[in-house]
Amino acid sequence: MTALLEVRGVSKRFRGLLALDDVSLSLKAGEIIGVIGPNGAGKTTLVNVMTGVHRADAGAVLFGDREITRQRPDQIARLGIARTFQVVQPFPAMTVLENVTAAALFAGGAGTIARAREAAAEQLEFCGLASQSHKPAATLTLAGRKRLELAKSLALRPKVLLLDEVNAGLNPAEIDHALELIAAIAARGITVLLIEHLMKVVTRTAQRLVVLHHGRLLADGPVAEVLADEAVVEAYLGRRYAQRLAEQAQ
Ligand SMILES: Nc1ncnc2c1ncn2[C@@H]1O[C@H](COP(=O)(O)OP(=O)(O)O)[C@@H](O)[C@H]1O
Ligand SMILES: [Mg+2]
């Protein structure tokens, strides 16, 4: 299968720190890929480079046949790559519906404001937020704000969705809901890259796992293979934990 989104030999340096070190990764249409790694591993930087927030110092990012390495975030979003932010940032005074309508208008193609509002209402329904539509975004709980982030991203009608720790800070029941929603998004044919701090969350949802460690790609493959990978066990998981996860994954 050809790659939908590809990162080729990307490095990114912040002053003395090599945040991404020659990382290559390719996302195929329709897959859910999990990215894990400890704090500071370069996960968010990877998403920032893929979405034009940071420019790679070396390497290239390709979307289909098109090189997007030097495109701006708004251009990349319009091409069909949406992302959520680790720290959610709605327009607080606007209602939930207005926040998503703004995203639908930004994506273009929605035509009139009324049509954009309709599209936004559909995404809110899909994300389980319809009943909160007319509340100011600032009044949502953390779980609600994370769902709002998802609804905003979906309003862009993306082909690829990059999710940066959407489950962080949620309780187990909220995580279950979020994972169901992510699976439903993938079932719509949207390719999902799921950045997670928690290994056991990502192994429940992703088909493929990528491990980042000190800016390097330590492993990339089917979940069970990566969990059994010596380098991953050594650097990140620890032996007992790896065994437990492997048992759970079966
Ligand atoms: N804008 C920035 N300026 C300077 N250093 C940064 C910046 N963004 C990230 N870093 C550093 O790059 C490394 C990787 O960060 P990040 O990608 O946020 O890791 P992760 O998301 O895996 O926790 C960290 O050491 C972080 O401090
Ligand atoms: Mg991060």
Side-chain angles (χ1 to χ4, degrees), residues 89-110:
Q89 36 194 209
F91 299 114
M94 281 165 53
T95 67
V96 166
L97 180 63
E98 285 164 350
N99 266 279
V100 183
T101 303
L105 281 172
F106 169 83

Side-chain angles (χ1 to χ4, degrees), residues 96-97 121 124-135 139-140:
V96 166
L97 180 63
L124 287 170
E125 179 76 45
F126 180 74
C127 293
L129 272 179
S131 65
Q132 320 277 308
S133 294
H134 299 292
K135 292 186 179 164
T139 64
L140 292 179

Side-chain angles (χ1 to χ4, degrees), residues 64-112:
D65 297 334
R66 187 197 292 241
E67 184 173 347
I68 58 168
T69 322
R70 269 159 235 299
Q71 301 232 20
R72 295 191 313 266
D74 58 304
Q75 295 172 316
I76 291 176
R78 282 203 178 91
L79 286 175
I81 303 174
R83 60 91 59 90
T84 62
F85 287 86
Q86 192 168 349
V87 179
V88 288
Q89 36 194 209
F91 299 114
M94 281 165 53
T95 67
V96 166
L97 180 63
E98 285 164 350
N99 266 279
V100 183
T101 303
L105 281 172
F106 169 83
T112 62

Side-chain angles (χ1 to χ4, degrees), residues 12-15 17-20 35-48 54 86 164-165 195 197 212 214-215:
K12 176 70 197 172
R13 187 179 286 280
F14 296 112
R15 296 211 183 84
L17 181 99
L18 196 52
L20 291 175
V35 177
I36 54 163
N39 265 331
K43 304 182 298 294
T44 296
T45 303
L46 179 64
V47 168
N48 282 337
H54 292 320
Q86 192 168 349
D164 196 357
E165 307 218 7
I195 291 186
H197 190 62
L212 277 179
H214 296 311

